[in-house]
Amino acid sequence: MTVLAAAIALVGSLFFALGAALQQFEAAGSATPGLLALLRKPRWLLGGASILTGGGLHIVALGLGPLTIVQPMGVASLLFALPLAAALHGRKPSPKELAAAGVVAAGLVGLVLLVPDSAGPTYLSPNGVLMLLGVAGVAAVLLWAASKAASPAGRAALLATSSGVLYGATATLMRVLLDGTWNWWYVLALPVPLLLALVMLQRAYAVGHFGVSFASLQIADPLTAVAFGALLLGEPVPTGILPVAAALLTAAGTVALARTSPLESRNNPPTHSPTPL
């Protein structure tokens, strides 16, 4: 069962990577990368369907195998996504770009494996939900504001991080609902951070630095969920030197990716010159 779970999770990562690459291709080639405009693009919708398929396969894999095997397979989506996105833009990823992505993936795997398992069902009061949405909203707005003054690679990273924070808040609220804290207004509140996250992510994709955007999203989403789990749900957090080392490795890989990832947009031909943060 463990081998089957790993295989399913790996296929799910491929679907997720393909969906992200398709959506970035459409967002980067759109003069108005707003959500309503993108919803009229068949290839962008196909990307969304591919992402949903990947998420579904990941859930199936979690039901068949241990978290320590399935979660690292999800990180492989970054390594799949870069060549897929490069192919859509008519180029090949450079060795330095792939090496930087590998460093990010290694750091993420370390962080994922070091997060302690949560014990028992979760509960979040209405005030806790308001705090969750408020903190995530303020952080997302601050990151969006900071992106205005950043370089293209920095702007892509900040916008994708903003999206990841909102996705992390969505995941936390979803866990609370699935664990039995059922409240109708919790359900009604769920689409708010989800839609805002989607909008921010498309803005990040429209900048053109797909590798930076996707890596930043991959980092911000789980770390935000872990932070909210610790602050609001009383869940344990990893301690010691190893999580710090994994975080530093992930950060170093992201910076390296920002310096090697070319600007990919159908309105701006890709260039292989480094782009500093």
Side-chain angles (χ1 to χ4, degrees), residues 121-126 129 172-191:
T122 58
Y123 170 77
L124 193 59
S125 68
V129 172
T172 303
L173 184 53
M174 180 67 78
R175 281 189 52 225
V176 169
L177 286 167
L178 292 175
D179 277 352
T181 309
W182 188 259
N183 189 311
W184 278 109
W185 82 263
Y186 287 17
V187 178
L188 294 175
L190 194 61

Side-chain angles (χ1 to χ4, degrees), residues 48-205:
S50 184
I51 289 172
L52 290 175
T53 301
L57 289 172
H58 189 76
I59 292 172
V60 171
L62 285 172
L64 296 174
L67 190 70
T68 53
I69 296 296
V70 174
Q71 289 292 69
M73 294 297 103
V75 175
S77 58
L78 175 61
L79 301 178
F80 290 145
L82 285 180
L84 288 169
L88 285 171
H89 288 280
R91 70 174 187 89
K92 292 182 179 180
S94 69
K96 289 183 178 180
E97 191 179 355
L98 291 176
V103 171
V104 174
L108 275 174
V109 168
L111 287 172
V112 165
L113 293 178
L114 290 168
V115 173
D117 292 334
S118 59
T122 58
Y123 170 77
L124 193 59
S125 68
N127 286 338
V129 172
L130 289 175
M131 183 179 293
L132 169 73
L133 297 177
V135 170
V138 170
V141 169
L142 290 176
L143 289 163
W144 168 77
S147 72
K148 297 288 187 179
S151 66
R155 185 159 65 253
L158 289 169
L159 287 170
T161 301
S162 174
S163 175
V165 168
L166 291 166
Y167 274 129
T170 304
T172 303
L173 184 53
M174 180 67 78
R175 281 189 52 225
V176 169
L177 286 167
L178 292 175
D179 277 352
T181 309
W182 188 259
N183 189 311
W184 278 109
W185 82 263
Y186 287 17
V187 178
L188 294 175
L190 194 61
V192 177
L194 185 62
L195 287 174
L196 290 174
L198 187 59
V199 169
M200 287 293 184
L201 184 58
Q202 301 315 308
R203 290 182 178 273
Y205 284 164

Side-chain angles (χ1 to χ4, degrees), residues 10 14 26 117 129 136 181 200 204 237 239 250 254:
L10 201 60
L14 181 57
E26 290 297 337
D117 292 334
V129 172
T181 309
M200 287 293 184
V237 295
T239 57
T250 305
T254 305

Side-chain angles (χ1 to χ4, degrees), residues 18-32:
L18 176 61
L22 287 170
Q23 288 196 337
Q24 190 273 340
F25 183 75
E26 290 297 337
S30 177
T32 55

